[in-house]
């Protein structure tokens, strides 16, 4: 029975899983967006987000703790440099998973996992207004009022 065993083992031994998640986290930090399977992305999210939270406090202890997970000096510099500056005021939710579909070879679900603050395309697009019944009525009432001055100018 698998009672009380929450995380996905990903069909690997513990050492292999730790090494794979560390490599995925390094790639995510260095490239800001990677393509992987959905199961690995969800496991990576649980692995990487505490490390990003730790990088907000730039102390020797924080660097040592993060280095014990990543074992990569370049990723550590990137994490405590540009990444820490961008996520400094964010209270969590540093990564985003975007599903892409299924892989042709084996049908596995493929997705992007990316750092939220580094996606220029999502940052530039304005958020659409949340649709509610109230906003429809107010939009319908505002539309005739907006059309009246346009009609007067045309005449």
């Amino acid at each position: 029975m698998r009672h009380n065993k929450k995380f996905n083992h990903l069909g690997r031994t513990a050492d292999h899983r730790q090494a794979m998640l560390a490599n995925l986290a390094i790639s995510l930090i260095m490239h800001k967006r990677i393509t992987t399977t959905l199961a690995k992305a969800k496991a990576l999210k649980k692995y990487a987000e505490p490390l990003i939270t730790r990088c907000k406090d730039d102390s020797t202890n924080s660097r040592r703790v993060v280095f014990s997970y990543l074992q990569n000096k370049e990723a550590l510099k990137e994490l405590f440099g540009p990444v820490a500056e961008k996520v400094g005021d964010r209270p969590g939710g540093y990564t985003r998973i975007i599903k892409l579909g299924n892989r042709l070879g084996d049908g596995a679900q493929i997705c992007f996992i990316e750092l939220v603050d580094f996606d220029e395309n999502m940052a530039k697009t304005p958020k659409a207004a949340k649709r509610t019944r109230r906003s429809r009525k107010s939009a319908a009432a505002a539309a005739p009022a907006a059309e009246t001055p346009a009609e007067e100018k045309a005449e």
Side-chain angles (χ1 to χ4, degrees):
M1 286 187 254
R2 59 174 313 274
H3 296 305
N4 238 4
K5 296 178 181 174
K6 289 191 172 184
F7 66 94
N8 191 346
H9 295 280
L10 301 171
R12 289 161 170 81
T13 62
D15 291 336
H16 186 185
R17 187 171 50 252
Q18 286 301 109
M20 183 193 65
L21 288 173
N23 287 332
L24 284 171
I26 290 167
S27 296
L28 178 65
I29 291 165
M30 298 304 287
H31 301 291
K32 310 301 187 268
R33 173 191 276 184
I34 58 174
T35 305
T36 184
T37 63
L38 185 62
K40 287 180 188 175
K42 287 180 178 179
L44 176 61
K45 189 171 191 159
K46 288 184 179 181
Y47 186 86
E49 292 215 359
L51 298 180
I52 298 171
T53 302
R54 177 71 73 162
C55 81
K56 288 181 178 181
D57 174 36
D58 191 5
S59 64
T60 305
N61 184 52
S62 295
R63 285 181 177 265
R64 285 178 178 167
V65 169
V66 172
F67 185 75
S68 71
Y69 282 92
L70 296 182
Q71 298 290 318
N72 187 307
K73 288 182 183 179
E74 289 78 24
L76 196 70
K77 288 177 190 173
E78 185 76 17
L79 186 62
F80 279 89
V83 175
E85 291 172 9
K86 290 244 184 169
V87 302
D89 58 341
R90 182 178 285 276
Y94 311 111
T95 57
R96 175 187 299 128
I97 295 176
I98 301 171
K99 295 178 185 175
L100 298 176
N102 295 334
R103 189 161 51 196
L104 289 178
D106 59 354
Q109 289 181 320
I110 298 296
C111 66
F112 278 142
I113 182 168
E114 63 186 3
L115 296 176
V116 171
D117 294 317
F118 287 90
D119 188 10
E120 295 84 18
N121 297 332
M122 295 293 272
K124 289 180 184 175
T125 57
K127 290 187 177 181
K130 187 176 180 182
R131 297 202 174 225
T132 61
R133 290 185 187 165
R134 210 174 269 169
S135 66
R136 287 182 194 154
K137 289 179 184 176
S138 62
E147 292 173 8
T148 344
E151 292 172 5
E152 292 173 5
K153 289 178 185 176
E155 293 175 5

